[in-house]
Amino acid sequence: MNERILILSGIQLSTNPRVVKEADTLAEAGYDVEVVGSLLEPSLASRDKHLYEDRKWKYTVLANAASVSIAGRFKWQWSRARFRFWRSAGRGRFVNPRQLGYVAPELLRYALDNPADLVILHVEQALWAGVHLLERGRKVAVDVEDWYSENLVGDDRFMADALRKWERRVLPNASYVTTTSHALANALADAYGCRIPEVIYNAFRFAERDSIDGETRDRKDRGVPSIFWFSQVVGPGRGLETLFDAASMLDMPVELHIRGKVSDVYRNSLIARLPENLRSRAFFHPQVPHHQLISRTAEHDIGLASEIADCRSRLLTVTNKLPFYLLAGVPVLASDTAGQREVAEQATGAVTLFEAGDAKDLARALRGLLADRAKLGSAREAALAAAERTFSWEKSAPVLLEQVRRALDQPRKGANVAGTIA
């Protein structure tokens, strides 16, 4: 098998684990796979290297913030300045593909110069490139991890119409579409008249559990229940304010552990929400490489998936938090969004729902779990069972492989997407 598959992302490999899992699966199945991304944070260069080194697939970097050559440094500075210019100049007035990220036109150019039997699109930059590829009769597929046009908040909402236009052109014409939940799949089909996308949950290999080290590095007092939340970036709009307010309402001590990149200002604003006697029990940890994260997650008692209703995409998708907690064997407190309800229904006993943004309801849910250690133990067992049964990459990989095989067996279409692209 020598069919060539090109995966377009354009963002940092270590911040896009879904692409890594996809590339591994396809390469292991015998396809010639290449991933195209960027190195945007030099501090993550070693993590990127850990992910692509000695893999069966090729990784190509289009924008490199860690370049050491004079030409490379100039190219990076120019890319960054150009992105900032377009974001500032066009905000609220017009949309240019340069506002989507650092390398949208470069992704298109690379795909045209390096033809593949199938191009799989990830994130907004690649979606834009996909419209042009379809115009030229190229075979494309789309993985919709977030509903791009419905995932904008604040000043970025001006791009929604353009993203919606590109989604309307690509999704119905793609060889296949995958996404992260049945709730999001049905919403996309309703919005664009496309086939209902196949669901591939944001899950990880169950075999990753073999790397759990059994150590306690985050927690300070094993006798005090521990609540854990992680992300690449810690900031507003993620439900953490609700957690800190809920902790203030408990009549029992808890440790709060937050992992991710956080500013001093935001960290202090969260701690200030706690009464003085609880502030010493709030801990902020730096990011760790993915292969270490499962160990640091497994040492906690409860994982928090606190998505809030600030945009439609977050209501419908399932991020990697909830499946990852299940994989680590950690019971989950999840806000009551459509996507997370879907997981809760399939992970009976492992996921407790609370009303999004409601600190009192979160405090109620916490008391219910923490007051009964036997219940907490049963929830841990249920989490592992759900991960093994449904929410593991081993269960998702066959769905991906079937879609790719069908796409490659389809005859290539001619140019089928009309219109000039903004």
Side-chain angles (χ1 to χ4, degrees):
M1 185 187 298
N2 55 9
E3 288 127 318
R4 173 171 158 75
I5 298 175
L6 189 63
I7 300 175
L8 298 185
S9 164
I11 62 174
Q12 190 103 20
L13 191 64
S14 54
T15 63
N16 201 188
R18 197 166 166 94
V19 161
V20 177
K21 291 177 289 186
E22 182 178 74
D24 281 343
T25 298
L26 295 175
E28 289 165 4
Y31 295 107
D32 177 9
V33 179
E34 181 177 4
V35 176
V36 185
S38 296
L39 201 167
L40 305 177
E41 290 190 39
S43 63
L44 298 179
S46 62
R47 295 184 191 178
D48 280 13
K49 187 176 181 180
H50 176 82
L51 292 172
Y52 67 75
E53 198 172 38
D54 299 324
R55 287 309 217 270
K56 295 179 180 179
W57 42 272
K58 178 184 177 183
Y59 184 54
T60 297
V61 173
L62 296 183
N64 188 353
S67 178
V68 296
S69 70
I70 294 175
R73 288 200 300 271
F74 176 80
K75 182 179 179 181
W76 165 249
Q77 293 297 333
W78 168 243
S79 297
R80 188 170 64 170
R82 181 176 55 197
F83 171 69
R84 290 177 174 176
F85 169 79
W86 283 111
R87 292 281 285 183
S88 175
R91 190 178 296 277
R93 295 186 293 276
F94 56 86
V95 175
N96 182 286
R98 291 291 181 193
Q99 295 162 331
L100 301 174
Y102 289 87
V103 293
E106 287 77 11
L107 285 171
L108 173 61
R109 189 176 306 119
Y110 193 88
L112 292 174
D113 292 343
N114 298 271
D117 297 290
L118 178 66
V119 180
I120 304 177
L121 313 173
H122 290 259
V123 308
E124 296 89 334
Q125 296 177 95
L127 178 74
W128 175 86
V131 179
H132 289 277
L133 292 171
L134 282 169
E135 282 189 327
R136 291 159 173 79
R138 301 298 176 90
K139 190 178 291 186
V140 305
V142 192
D143 183 59
V144 184
E145 190 168 351
D146 293 299
W147 190 346
Y148 309 124
S149 62
E150 301 288 346
N151 197 41
L152 302 170
V153 296
D155 293 340
D156 287 338
R157 290 186 186 277
F158 77 94
M159 292 189 288
D161 287 344
L163 286 164
R164 201 170 290 119
K165 177 176 65 176
W166 300 332
E167 289 167 345
R168 186 172 291 111
R169 292 179 182 179
V170 174
L171 268 61
N173 294 290
S175 295
Y176 71 80
V177 180
T178 53
T179 192
T180 57
S181 73
H182 292 284
L184 183 50
N186 290 327
L188 290 170
D190 289 343
Y192 300 123
C194 60
R195 296 188 307 273
I196 298 176
E198 294 293 324
V199 174
I200 296 179
Y201 286 113
N202 257 320
F204 296 84
R205 294 181 187 270
F206 195 78
E208 289 190 29
R209 287 191 50 81
D210 294 340
S211 67
I212 295 177
D213 58 27
E215 297 179 5
T216 300
R217 299 186 184 181
D218 288 355
R219 299 177 69 165
K220 307 304 177 185
D221 184 346
R222 293 289 300 187
V224 174
S226 177
I227 304 164
F228 180 64
W229 182 96
F230 73 93
S231 187
Q232 295 166 23
V233 177
V234 181
R238 312 301 300 275
L240 290 177
E241 292 84 357
T242 305
L243 170 63
F244 278 69
D245 289 345
S248 301
M249 301 175 187
L250 298 177
D251 54 4
M252 63 187 76
V254 293
E255 289 187 354
L256 305 179
H257 291 267
I258 310 300
R259 185 176 295 282
K261 185 178 180 180
V262 61
S263 70
D264 291 340
V265 171
Y266 185 66
R267 180 182 61 237
N268 292 337
S269 74
L270 288 177
I271 293 174
R273 303 178 86 96
L274 296 172
E276 288 284 350
N277 63 317
L278 294 181
R279 292 179 182 179
S280 62
R281 295 189 182 275
F283 304 96
F284 291 80
H285 307 281
Q287 290 177 300
V288 293
H290 174 76
H291 64 279
Q292 296 177 16
L293 184 59
I294 190 168
S295 294
R296 302 288 65 78
T297 303
E299 67 176 274
H300 298 284
D301 292 309
I302 295 173
L304 180 70
S306 52
E307 303 301 336
I308 62 176
D310 59 342
C311 65
R312 194 177 179 193
S313 177
R314 288 286 174 176
L315 287 173
L316 297 171
T317 193
V318 176
T319 68
N320 60 15
K321 284 186 186 63
L322 210 166
F324 196 74
Y325 293 142
L326 298 177
L327 180 67
V330 175
V332 186
L333 281 174
S335 52
D336 189 15
T337 65
Q340 297 192 148
R341 280 198 305 272
E342 180 180 314
V343 176
E345 289 168 0
Q346 300 176 77
T348 305
V351 181
T352 301
L353 297 174
F354 67 93
E355 186 174 346
D358 189 328
K360 289 183 179 179
D361 199 46
L362 176 53
R364 172 202 57 79
L366 278 167
R367 290 189 197 99
L369 275 177
L370 298 178
D372 188 344
R373 301 299 293 184
K375 182 179 180 180
L376 199 59
S378 296
R380 186 176 288 273
E381 293 174 2
L384 278 177
E388 187 169 21
R389 181 179 62 249
T390 305
F391 299 101
S392 63
W393 187 253
E394 287 88 342
K395 300 298 182 182
S396 295
V399 177
L400 171 64
L401 291 172
E402 181 181 4
Q403 294 305 305
V404 168
R405 186 67 264 158
R406 288 181 178 180
L408 290 169
D409 288 342
Q410 294 170 3
R412 179 169 292 184
K413 301 177 183 179
N416 59 359
V417 181
T420 301
I421 310 304

